[in-house]
Amino acid sequence: MALAINVSSSSSSAISTSSFPSSELKAPRIGSLRLSDRVNVSTASLSLSGKRSSSVKPLNVQSIAKESFVPSQAASVVASEVTEKLDVVEVEDFEELAKSLETASPLEIMDKALEKFGNDIAIAFSGAEDVALIEYAHLTGRPFRVFSLDTGRLNPETYRLFDTVEKHYGIRIEYMFPDAVEVQALVRNKGLFSFYEDGHQECCRIRKVRPLRRALKGLRAWITGQRKDQSPGTRSEIPVVQVDPVFEGLDGGAGSLVKWNPVANVEGNDVWNFLRTMDVPVNTLHAAGYVSIGCEPCTRAVLPGQHEREGRWWWEDAKAKECGLHKGNIKENSNGNANANVNGTSSTVADIFKSENVVSLSRQGIENLMKLENRKEAWIVVLYAPWCPFCQAMEGSFDELADKLGGSGVKVAKFRADGDQKEFAKRELQLGSFPTILVFPKNSSRPIKYPSEKRDVDSLTSFLNLVR
């Protein structure tokens, strides 16, 4: 996708400093406008593949009260009359740029991003391991900006990290807050924890997505800590730089915002090695088993061997592990269905749990099993979807369990509970998220749901021995 920029020069502008002390103006900081490198204010036009053209205003020329990223008291820009025009056309193909940077280091990518966009780009900092982005920006020696979304429901440890990071790097993080009226209406109408019942999307839209949209309307580019290995279902193909497919930038419209992902190709372990080597301050929750950190009610620690995103919105399906900030990662097929393989509608997804000792139950089969009040054998059944990465991760241990229990008086079975069977499984089989494991004891009509996230052979065997 090509982004065309027409630039015309203008005369110098008068700049009033922010309310911060002058020492804060040595380098760009959130909370001060940091336009020391902008003596000349220019106007420009931005178009996407020649389809759209709109006026590009210097930062803060538009109404701050409506959508701007920087506080209104930070600075004011008085643009003087343009005395001459210089027609320069710069065409940037960000797909080609992404290819050229595919093997570049995060430091190189960060440097390129800051060089290209200067004061019109900012780092999105969540209080998790993406603090590495701030360290990379610091290492470039260039001025940089940082913002964060304060949802009002973050962990105390996250707030303490914000303060530590500001002091460590000598910066001011700009915090974006949700609209108080919208939050009040949600809580009054549906309670403090409605997301456990009807999904996290509504709450995230109010507390995160809309504040982010306001923040990005004051920028031309932003920097995120997305990595391909964070979420196999939604982030496996993210490029290091792209035209943002969802949000709009300063000039509005499709193609007005560029998104940089400097650590897209870096594995989580390598990020942590970097943080330790550079002695970067990190969230103390990481030491307690939290890997991916969000709001307190929707984040929990993960167990060894679990994927990091299992700690986020754990009561929902794997396909819902995005809050909306990066919903452009969710692709649509030709029929308009998001992530067909993730929804279980793709016939190309290979089935899992292939041991000859695993019984494959049909809808009729599991209904018959539920009706039996005096079973001759206990059953352990996994409700699964073959596209689910968490089901795939436990395939080896479940097959091993089936082979171990062969001839022991316990039947091991699987029931594919996605697609047309999902509503039935939710209603009748206690399905919350994939995988769900049920034990049908002898002489009992009610199945018992396995409550643990530990799905190794020893843990499953121990549970069976307690309840069968």
Side-chain angles (χ1 to χ4, degrees), residues 125 128-136 139 161 164-165 168-169 271-272 274-283:
F125 176 44
E129 76 274 21
D130 53 5
V131 68
L133 298 174
I134 299 178
E135 178 66 17
Y136 281 122
L139 291 174
L161 176 65
T164 301
V165 166
H168 183 82
Y169 292 101
V271 171
W272 275 100
F274 173 73
L275 294 174
R276 295 186 188 101
T277 300
M278 303 306 294
D279 196 23
V280 173
V282 297
N283 199 319

Side-chain angles (χ1 to χ4, degrees), residues 176-373:
M176 302 300 297
F177 300 93
D179 182 271
V181 175
E182 290 185 326
V183 173
Q184 180 175 286
L186 173 65
V187 174
R188 283 185 175 180
N189 293 333
K190 305 182 73 172
L192 286 167
F193 300 98
S194 60
F195 37 82
Y196 290 143
E197 299 176 2
D198 57 12
H200 72 270
Q201 297 296 338
E202 181 180 18
C203 185
C204 284
R205 183 168 59 251
I206 292 173
R207 294 181 181 271
K208 299 175 73 173
V209 178
R210 288 176 181 168
L212 176 67
R213 183 176 292 116
R214 293 198 305 270
L216 297 179
K217 283 290 287 182
L219 298 169
R220 290 189 176 90
W222 63 309
I223 303 169
T224 85
Q226 290 189 101
R227 303 192 321 271
K228 290 179 179 177
D229 68 344
Q230 283 175 325
S231 183
T234 61
R235 299 188 178 183
S236 61
E237 298 180 10
I238 55 172
V240 296
V241 59
Q242 62 189 133
V243 174
D244 196 299
V246 176
F247 294 101
E248 298 180 2
L250 183 62
D251 306 291
S256 60
L257 186 71
V258 179
K259 186 176 185 180
W260 293 76
N261 309 300
V263 293
N265 298 321
V266 181
E267 294 185 356
N269 288 338
D270 291 332
V271 171
W272 275 100
N273 287 336
F274 173 73
L275 294 174
R276 295 186 188 101
T277 300
M278 303 306 294
D279 196 23
V280 173
V282 297
N283 199 319
T284 56
L285 287 173
H286 290 305
Y290 291 75
V291 182
S292 179
I293 300 173
C295 292
E296 187 278 333
C298 304
T299 305
R300 66 179 182 181
V302 296
L303 298 168
Q306 280 189 292
H307 192 275
E308 63 185 81
R309 297 292 280 187
E310 284 202 63
R312 303 288 294 278
W313 310 294
W314 61 90
W315 65 93
E316 296 183 355
D317 293 348
K319 68 173 181 287
K321 300 293 185 178
E322 293 286 358
C323 61
L325 303 189
H326 304 294
K327 66 181 180 180
N329 296 335
I330 302 176
K331 297 176 175 57
E332 294 188 356
N333 63 13
S334 57
N335 296 321
N337 296 321
N339 280 1
N341 64 323
V342 173
N343 284 318
T345 59
S346 173
S347 60
T348 62
V349 180
D351 200 13
I352 54 178
F353 309 122
K354 299 176 182 177
S355 169
E356 61 182 16
N357 291 313
V358 176
V359 178
S360 183
L361 293 173
S362 64
R363 167 76 173 266
Q364 187 64 51
I366 200 164
E367 286 182 336
N368 290 339
L369 180 61
M370 294 170 62
K371 293 175 183 177
L372 291 175
E373 295 187 0

Side-chain angles (χ1 to χ4, degrees), residues 324-454:
L325 303 189
H326 304 294
K327 66 181 180 180
N329 296 335
I330 302 176
K331 297 176 175 57
E332 294 188 356
N333 63 13
S334 57
N335 296 321
N337 296 321
N339 280 1
N341 64 323
V342 173
N343 284 318
T345 59
S346 173
S347 60
T348 62
V349 180
D351 200 13
I352 54 178
F353 309 122
K354 299 176 182 177
S355 169
E356 61 182 16
N357 291 313
V358 176
V359 178
S360 183
L361 293 173
S362 64
R363 167 76 173 266
Q364 187 64 51
I366 200 164
E367 286 182 336
N368 290 339
L369 180 61
M370 294 170 62
K371 293 175 183 177
L372 291 175
E373 295 187 0
N374 295 300
R375 303 181 189 87
K376 295 181 179 180
E377 299 173 305
W379 287 69
I380 181 170
V381 182
V382 59
L383 312 181
Y384 76 104
W387 46 261
C388 171
F390 311 117
C391 298
Q392 296 167 6
M394 67 164 288
E395 179 180 12
S397 60
F398 199 73
D399 282 345
E400 183 182 344
L401 178 71
D403 296 338
K404 177 181 178 180
L405 296 177
S408 69
V410 177
K411 291 289 188 182
V412 181
K414 64 179 182 178
F415 173 66
R416 182 166 177 175
D418 62 339
D420 294 338
Q421 305 303 329
K422 187 173 180 181
E423 289 305 314
F424 160 75
K426 282 184 173 182
R427 184 177 65 253
E428 304 292 341
L429 297 173
Q430 308 175 57
L431 175 67
S433 60
F434 295 115
T436 291
I437 299 172
L438 301 177
V439 174
F440 294 80
K442 294 170 62 176
N443 305 317
S444 175
S445 60
R446 181 178 177 82
I448 300 172
K449 185 176 180 178
Y450 178 63
S452 176
E453 299 289 341
K454 297 182 68 175

